[in-house]
Amino acid sequence: MSPILIVGAGPVGLTMASELARYGLSVRLIDRSPHPAETSRALVIWSRTLELMDRMGCADAFLEIGHRVHAASIRSGDAVLGRTEFSDVASSYNFALTIPQSDTERLLAAHLRSFRVAVERQVELVSFVASTEGVEARLAHADGREEVVETPWLLGCDGAHSAVRHGLRANFTGTAQRDDWILADVRLEGEGRPPADEITTYLHRDGPLAIFPMREGRVRLIAAVGEAETVHPRAAPTLTEVQSLLDQRAGHGMRASDATWLANFRINGRKARDYRSGRVFLAGDAAHIHSPAGGQGMNTGMQDAINLAWKLAMVARGEAAVSLLDSYSPERGEVGEMVLRNATRLTDMATLAHPTAIAARNLVLHVMLGLHAVRQRMALTMSEIEIAYPRSPLSSGRHAGVRLAPADYDGVPPGAGPAPRFVLHAEDTKAGEALAARFPALLEPHPRLPPVAGRILVVRPDGYVGLSAAAEDWDEVEAYLRRLTREGAV
C-alpha cells in the first residue's frame, strides 16, 4: 500500500503521523515551511491530552521539560473573584503543562523519528483529485520539481489556511471577533507577580489580561487592546506598551523584560461542517479555529488526530469495516463545536465594556466561583477529561461514550500496543477469552476486570467506552463486534 499522505507538520500532523507509524502504517508527512515552529505559539497541554500521550509513549519527555500549573484564578485588580484548583481532576495528570509549541514540535518530531519517519520540509500540496479508490496528489518541492503521488488517504493537518480544505471547497463558517489582541512572551519579576503555578486572568474595563506561567520565570501575556480600526492588525507591541498594560490592568509591582516574542493577532471563530469527504480528512486548525480562551485549540487538534489514527489504522490493516471511519466527523465535530462555543462565551464575557455589565459580571463570578461545584466544573472542562461521545455511532448501552478513567484500566492504557485493539472488561474471563479468540483482530486476547461489577465493557483503543452491557449479555457484545467488521453497519 502507498503511504498515507499527511499535510502539515505542526503538533496535529506530528501526532497523526506518530500514531499511524506506531501502528505499522507507512506515512509521508510534508510541510511547506523550511523549519518547525520557532516561537511558543500554543502553550498549554491539558490532562486528557497528557493521558493520551502516555498511551502514545511520549508523555515522559514532555513532563521532563514542561512547567506544571495547578490552578487558575480570575481577578479584578487586587481582588480575587475566584480560584480553581486542578487537584480535583481525576487523572494522574491533575495539572496543566505549559510548554512552548517549538518544544512540543521538537519532542513530537523526535518521537516520530523513533518510527523511522522524518518530516519532508519545503514540500507543498498543490492540488489533489480524490476518488473512491484513493487520492492523486500533486506536490511541489523547493527546487521547482513537481511530484504526483498516489495515496490511499489524504489527511489535512495544515492549519487555518488549509490547502486540503480549500481543495475540498469545504465550508469554513464563523465570525471574526471585533478586538485586536497582543501577545508577549517575557520574563516577569516583582512582588506583584502572581503564583508561578497559576494561570491568572485580570478583568479590566479596557479588556482582559491573562498571564500563563512558563518555566524559568517566563510568562505568556495575552491582552485585548481595543476594537479593530483597520483591515490589517496593528503593529506588534513594544515592551514599553506591554509594561503599560501590566501596570494598568494588573497593578504596579510587576516588571516585564527580556521579550522573546511580541505579536498582534485577531480572533476568528470558524469550523468546517464536515471533517471528512470520502478519503480526505481534516483535523486541527484545518477543521476548527477559535479564541485562545481556555487554551483548548492545540489539545483539540491533537485529540482529533488520535481519534482518527486508530480508526484509520484498523481499516487500513483490514481489521475493521471502512464504515468505522464514519464516526470520526460526528465525534470530533461535536467536540469542536463545544470548544468553539465555550471559547467564544469566555471571550465575550471577558471583553464586556459597559460599566454596569462589568459590575454584574464580577459579582456573578465572585458568587459562582465561591461554590466548590462550580470551581470543580471549571477544572473538569479545562482539563478535557469529561469529553465524551454519547451520541457516536460507536456508542451503545448505558454510559457508553465516556472516558474510562486510567485508574480503571486494569493494565496498560488501551491502544498502547503496536496494534489498535478494543479491550474487553468482563468478570467471566473464560467467556471473554473465547470471544476474543473469535475476534482476534478487534480484541486484546485477555479480558480485564470491569471497574463496576455486573457489567461488560468494550473499551475503544482511545480509552472511551464503546459498549456497556449487562454481565450476562454476551450476545449483545458479539453483535457489537460483528457490526465493527461488517460494511455499512457501524
Side-chain angles (χ1 to χ4, degrees):
M1 181 184 291
S2 301
I4 296 170
L5 182 61
I6 304 167
V7 184
V12 178
L14 288 163
T15 300
M16 187 84 76
S18 296
E19 285 291 84
L20 291 172
R22 181 167 70 88
Y23 288 137
L25 273 64
S26 176
V27 299
R28 285 186 69 179
L29 176 58
I30 65 170
D31 196 293
R32 65 182 181 180
S33 174
H35 48 70
E38 296 178 320
T39 52
S40 55
R41 299 188 191 179
L43 189 65
V44 183
I45 301 178
W46 289 105
S47 307
R48 181 55 182 156
T49 307
L50 287 167
E51 290 177 354
L52 292 166
M53 292 171 75
D54 178 50
R55 162 191 168 280
M56 291 171 63
C58 61
D60 287 347
F62 286 78
L63 295 174
E64 186 176 341
I65 68 170
H67 179 80
R68 301 187 187 200
V69 176
H70 297 101
S73 72
I74 300 176
R75 305 185 183 198
S76 178
D78 294 332
V80 178
L81 302 179
R83 186 175 189 271
T84 296
E85 296 188 358
F86 303 135
S87 56
D88 286 341
V89 173
S91 172
S92 301
Y93 305 104
N94 55 349
F95 50 85
L97 192 74
T98 59
I99 178 171
Q101 184 174 324
S102 52
D103 285 337
T104 293
E105 292 189 15
R106 176 176 59 82
L107 293 176
L108 286 173
H111 182 60
L112 179 60
R113 286 195 299 273
S114 72
F115 304 109
R116 301 181 183 278
V117 179
V119 179
E120 299 179 44
R121 294 208 167 272
Q122 294 183 281
V123 181
E124 183 175 0
L125 176 70
V126 177
S127 63
F128 63 89
V129 177
S131 70
T132 57
E133 303 300 319
V135 181
E136 182 182 273
R138 188 159 61 94
L139 310 180
H141 293 253
D143 59 6
R145 176 172 57 93
E146 288 201 348
E147 177 187 7
V148 177
V149 299
E150 298 284 344
T151 181
W153 311 96
L154 176 63
L155 312 182
C157 306
D158 48 342
H161 302 289
S162 169
V164 176
R165 191 186 65 246
H166 286 306
L168 289 173
R169 293 187 171 89
N171 71 323
F172 200 47
T173 56
T175 58
Q177 211 257 358
R178 66 182 183 274
D179 290 327
D180 278 328
W181 294 71
I182 64 104
L183 175 154
D185 283 355
V186 298
R187 183 174 300 282
L188 194 61
E189 298 173 318
E191 294 182 1
R193 175 189 166 127
D197 67 341
E198 176 181 297
I199 297 168
T200 307
T201 301
Y202 295 89
L203 299 179
H204 188 272
R205 65 178 182 275
D206 293 329
L209 181 145
I211 300 178
F212 293 80
M214 295 188 280
R215 63 179 185 263
E216 299 174 350
R218 302 194 64 80
V219 301
R220 156 79 53 82
L221 302 178
I222 296 177
V225 291
E227 191 167 340
E229 297 177 353
T230 63
V231 174
H232 302 290
R234 64 185 73 190
T238 64
L239 187 58
T240 300
E241 290 170 333
V242 171
Q243 183 64 56
S244 177
L245 281 169
L246 267 174
D247 293 341
Q248 178 193 42
R249 300 186 188 183
H252 294 276
M254 285 183 268
R255 296 182 304 279
S257 63
D258 188 22
T260 56
W261 191 26
L262 298 168
N264 192 288
F265 67 95
R266 289 179 182 169
I267 294 172
N268 280 276
R270 301 186 184 277
K271 178 181 169 294
R273 183 180 61 192
D274 298 308
Y275 290 13
R276 178 193 182 193
S277 177
R279 290 179 171 267
V280 183
F281 296 83
L282 302 174
D285 285 358
H288 48 78
I289 57 172
H290 45 77
S291 163
Q296 309 288 304
M298 181 180 68
N299 291 264
T300 304
M302 292 173 70
Q303 291 178 41
D304 290 345
I306 291 165
N307 182 290
L308 177 58
W310 70 264
K311 297 172 181 176
L312 195 55
M314 294 194 83
V315 170
R317 293 163 60 110
E319 297 163 349
V322 173
S323 52
L324 177 65
L325 299 172
D326 294 340
S327 62
Y328 169 67
S329 187
E331 288 182 358
R332 297 308 301 171
E334 187 170 332
V335 172
E337 187 67 43
M338 176 191 70
V339 171
L340 175 59
R341 183 172 59 250
N342 289 346
T344 300
R345 287 174 177 170
L346 284 171
T347 304
D348 290 345
M349 178 272 292
T351 53
L352 291 173
H354 194 281
T356 302
I358 291 171
R361 174 201 63 196
N362 290 358
L363 177 61
V364 169
L365 283 173
H366 184 64
V367 171
M368 295 299 293
L369 290 174
L371 303 174
H372 176 74
V374 174
R375 295 196 303 273
Q376 185 177 48
R377 173 58 51 191
M378 180 178 169
L380 292 175
T381 300
M382 294 175 76
S383 71
E384 299 191 336
I385 68 166
E386 288 204 327
I387 286 174
Y389 307 121
R391 286 171 290 278
S392 168
L394 297 184
S395 298
S396 179
R398 185 178 53 159
H399 303 311
V402 301
R403 154 191 169 269
L404 185 69
D408 296 327
Y409 284 166
D410 189 30
V412 299
R421 293 286 183 268
F422 286 75
V423 179
L424 183 66
H425 290 254
E427 295 168 291
D428 189 342
T429 56
K430 185 172 292 187
E433 288 177 350
L435 186 65
R438 294 199 296 277
F439 295 92
L442 283 179
L443 289 177
E444 283 188 352
H446 303 294
R448 308 184 191 187
L449 291 176
V452 178
R455 304 297 296 174
I456 300 173
L457 302 182
V458 178
V459 179
R460 302 161 23 151
D462 54 1
Y464 292 92
V465 176
L467 171 73
S468 174
E472 67 279 358
D473 204 346
W474 288 98
D475 288 344
E476 184 179 350
V477 179
E478 182 163 354
Y480 178 82
L481 296 173
R482 289 197 182 283
R483 288 197 301 271
L484 294 173
T485 60
R486 194 165 62 244
E487 289 298 336
V490 175

